[in-house]
Amino acid sequence: MGLFTKKESTPPAVPPVRLRESQPAAAPSPAAQPENPPPPTLPKPPERPAEPRRRLQDDERTRRLQDLKSVVHRKLVDQLDMTKLSRDATSEMRDQVKQVVVALCEEENPLLNFNERQRLADEILDETFGLGPLEPLLKDDLISDILINGPHQVYIERGGQLTLSEVKFKDNAHLLHVIDKIVSPLGRRCDEVSPMVDARLKDGSRVNAIIPPLAIDGPSMSIRRFGKDPITWDDYVRFKSCAAEMVLFFEACVMAGLNVLIVGGTGSGKTTLLNNLSSFIPATDRIVTIEDAAELQLRQPHVVRLETRPPNIEGKGRVAIRDLLINALRMRPDRIVVGECRGGETLDMLQAMNTGHEGSMTTVHANSTRDAVQRVETMVMMAGFELPTRAIRQQFASAIDLIVQAARLTGGQRRITNVTEVQGMEGDVITMQDIFKFEQDGVNTEGKAFGRTVSTGVRPQFMDRLIAAGAVVDPDWFTARDLVVDD
């Protein structure tokens, strides 16, 4: 019975050595004992390979699910007429397709549990009807920007903070397929011949994509979102982006037909501000909007929307903003709204503002109102005419009445930091004066800037124009005081 049991040998017991009480233990010599004995070295705990192994297992399972999704999606395409399916499919149609997808999943891999089958079915439905992995992000109204750096790195901005999301594409081909689904309905293309493209989603969100060979690490795409519930002036006041008095002032300026220039850096909210300012345009005016990718959402009934066109595969057929702006002057517009001036069209915009198209608006990239003047001068020179600087500044001073600067502060919050009146020329210098401005006091413990929006006490020179246009103007708006103070 004990043939297969190996007995362990027991070492012989060693009696303990005891010192006699009469013979105390000898103390170690001073030479043998160090003055500062080193602390005992504790053994290092063994490394745990479980975490890397678990990560490898998760990656392997994710890869198998991706492969299974590709197989099921291919079979779904073979069984259904994909031309009859669209992004705006009814819920009943989506449910019918989902039943087919679940049946295919069970046929391919019966060992999938219920949650895995449902997740796989939802992802395939997103691929079929929508934009694949981007669908969960597009359904989140709190996400303002989606920045894709290759198939495995997708950043999102939520609440002004950029974070790396868990969303990933299978490979470069998968991401290229999603880009093609965005640009194809707009009649645009993104391939090796035309590796850059500007487009938009159905909700007005701005899309820019660039692919290899220009993008070295794989296709890159940025989506600047417009939420389902667009930001209104009530939101501006509630978020302390501006004061209520400033909103009433803007309404009076737009109704009176003042030409407004909106300036700011990237991501400062220029387009959103332009969209809200244009909401004050009277419904009786004929408005022509000109944009690279149509984003403005004007609610007036008499609006003509124009959009630029890139060149075709032969490099011909390009229609730029300047071409549309020249054509818009023949369309009898009351107001012209240009999404952004970034080149020679700036000269045509200034001339339009000076020749009867009062109340027009546009945006310019600049870090301050004074920088906006210099940038406009540079862009006018890009029109190809050798105009003297004084002539350009005179055009600017007579065309622009009001400059509104938007900025993105430390911490992500967006503010209207300056509302500046262009008063005219003194010699060769354009004179300007702030009416409202934001004064930053510091940065709090959460890393967010705080300060005060103040009225400078300057009464604008165009007050008579506001009153003559029938706008309601309260002189208390311009009393020097704090209008909004951050907590």
Side-chain angles (χ1 to χ4, degrees):
M1 295 178 61
L3 294 177
F4 301 100
T5 304
K6 184 178 180 180
K7 294 184 180 180
E8 298 181 357
S9 57
T10 304
V14 179
V17 179
R18 297 181 180 179
L19 298 176
R20 290 180 299 178
E21 296 180 359
S22 58
Q23 296 179 352
S29 61
Q33 184 178 7
E35 298 180 358
N36 296 320
T41 303
L42 298 177
K44 296 183 179 179
E47 297 183 357
R48 298 181 179 181
E51 187 64 28
R53 190 185 307 119
R54 189 181 302 112
R55 191 181 303 113
L56 290 175
Q57 292 174 352
D58 293 341
D59 293 342
E60 178 65 20
R61 186 166 187 81
T62 301
R63 187 188 62 79
R64 290 202 303 267
L65 287 176
Q66 288 289 342
D67 294 340
L68 178 60
K69 184 172 72 172
S70 300
V71 173
V72 173
H73 188 260
R74 196 178 307 115
K75 288 191 173 184
L76 179 67
V77 172
D78 295 337
Q79 293 187 14
L80 299 178
D81 185 0
M82 303 302 293
T83 60
K84 296 182 179 180
L85 300 179
S86 64
R87 185 178 174 87
D88 299 327
T90 61
S91 58
E92 181 180 357
M93 184 181 298
R94 291 179 66 94
D95 291 340
Q96 292 176 358
V97 176
K98 186 173 184 178
Q99 293 176 4
V100 176
V101 172
V102 171
L104 291 174
C105 292
E106 293 178 352
E107 178 184 338
E108 289 295 324
N109 191 345
L111 299 181
L112 292 177
N113 58 41
F114 176 79
N115 292 332
E116 289 175 335
R117 284 198 303 270
Q118 293 298 316
R119 173 189 169 189
L120 202 60
D122 291 337
E123 291 182 0
I124 294 176
L125 285 178
D126 290 339
E127 293 285 351
T128 304
F129 294 99
L131 301 178
L134 295 180
E135 284 297 314
L137 302 181
L138 295 174
K139 293 176 183 177
D140 190 346
D141 295 335
L142 299 179
I143 295 177
S144 57
D145 289 328
I146 302 174
L147 308 176
I148 303 170
N149 307 330
H152 305 306
Q153 195 178 66
V154 179
Y155 283 88
I156 60 174
E157 180 183 291
R158 183 188 284 113
Q161 299 294 328
L162 272 177
T163 56
L164 180 64
S165 71
E166 298 180 355
V167 173
K168 293 182 180 180
F169 294 84
K170 181 181 179 181
D171 49 26
N172 285 338
H174 186 196
L175 179 53
L176 287 172
H177 175 68
V178 172
I179 293 175
D180 185 66
K181 292 185 70 173
I182 294 175
V183 303
S184 293
L186 303 176
R188 304 195 176 189
R189 51 202 299 270
C190 189
D191 50 29
E192 291 185 358
V193 179
S194 302
M196 296 184 296
V197 65
D198 285 317
R200 67 181 185 279
L201 301 180
K202 290 188 176 181
D203 62 357
S205 299
R206 182 190 315 169
V207 180
N208 174 269
I210 181 169
I211 66 173
L214 300 185
I216 299 175
D217 299 325
S220 177
M221 181 167 58
S222 59
I223 302 177
R224 310 291 302 280
R225 297 195 60 203
F226 287 86
K228 294 181 179 179
D229 298 325
I231 296 177
T232 63
W233 286 115
D234 292 336
D235 297 324
Y236 271 85
V237 176
R238 180 159 49 89
F239 297 147
K240 295 185 177 181
S241 296
C242 70
E245 293 85 350
M246 295 167 62
V247 177
L248 298 175
F249 174 72
F250 291 148
E251 182 179 10
C253 292
V254 175
M255 289 183 60
L258 269 61
N259 294 323
V260 181
L261 177 65
I262 300 172
V263 303
T266 301
S268 59
K270 298 187 301 298
T271 305
T272 302
L273 182 55
L274 176 62
N275 200 58
N276 279 280
L277 283 175
S278 62
S279 66
F280 294 136
I281 298 177
T284 55
D285 288 357
R286 175 176 170 85
I287 310 169
V288 177
T289 66
I290 302 173
E291 301 172 87
D292 275 327
E295 303 172 72
L296 297 175
Q297 302 172 353
L298 274 66
R299 299 177 179 86
Q300 288 84 348
H302 200 168
V303 178
V304 180
R305 305 172 69 199
L306 305 180
E307 187 178 51
T308 61
R309 186 179 70 182
N312 57 20
I313 193 172
E314 299 176 354
K316 301 179 180 179
R318 179 176 182 266
V319 180
I321 286 184
R322 189 173 187 186
D323 302 322
L324 295 177
L325 184 53
I326 294 173
N327 184 80
L329 298 177
R330 307 186 184 103
M331 299 174 63
R332 198 257 175 218
D334 292 313
R335 306 194 187 218
I336 299 175
V337 180
V338 178
E340 181 182 349
C341 286
R342 57 169 66 93
E345 67 272 6
T346 308
L347 175 60
D348 301 291
M349 189 66 188
L350 293 180
Q351 290 179 333
M353 291 178 172
N354 278 321
T355 55
H357 302 286
E358 298 178 349
S360 298
M361 307 178 197
T362 187
T363 69
V364 169
H365 272 85
N367 294 325
S368 67
T369 55
R370 180 58 63 180
D371 288 344
V373 178
Q374 300 174 356
R375 178 153 169 76
V376 167
E377 292 177 10
T378 303
M379 291 188 295
V380 168
M381 295 177 183
M382 295 170 63
F385 301 102
E386 295 183 1
L387 298 176
T389 303
R390 180 178 175 80
I392 299 174
R393 293 179 180 177
Q394 286 176 340
Q395 283 275 337
F396 183 93
S398 60
I400 304 298
D401 299 305
L402 192 69
I403 303 177
V404 182
Q405 182 185 357
R408 180 176 177 178
L409 306 180
T410 304
Q413 62 268 43
R414 295 171 173 87
R415 295 287 177 92
I416 297 177
T417 55
N418 290 87
V419 179
T420 305
E421 177 193 12
V422 179
Q423 295 179 331
M425 291 276 295
E426 288 187 2
D428 292 337
V429 179
I430 298 176
T431 58
M432 299 186 297
Q433 186 67 49
D434 287 336
I435 302 173
F436 305 101
K437 65 179 181 179
F438 174 78
E439 297 179 350
Q440 182 173 333
D441 295 330
V443 179
N444 60 19
T445 56
E446 299 178 356
K448 293 185 177 182
F450 65 93
R452 298 165 289 115
T453 299
V454 302
S455 174
T456 61
V458 174
R459 187 176 184 269
Q461 294 181 356
F462 50 70
M463 279 283 291
D464 295 339
R465 291 179 58 183
L466 304 183
I467 297 173
V472 178
V473 181
D474 187 352
D476 290 341
W477 297 344
F478 313 110
T479 303
R481 57 195 171 96
D482 292 343
L483 300 177
V484 177
V485 180
D486 292 335
D487 298 334

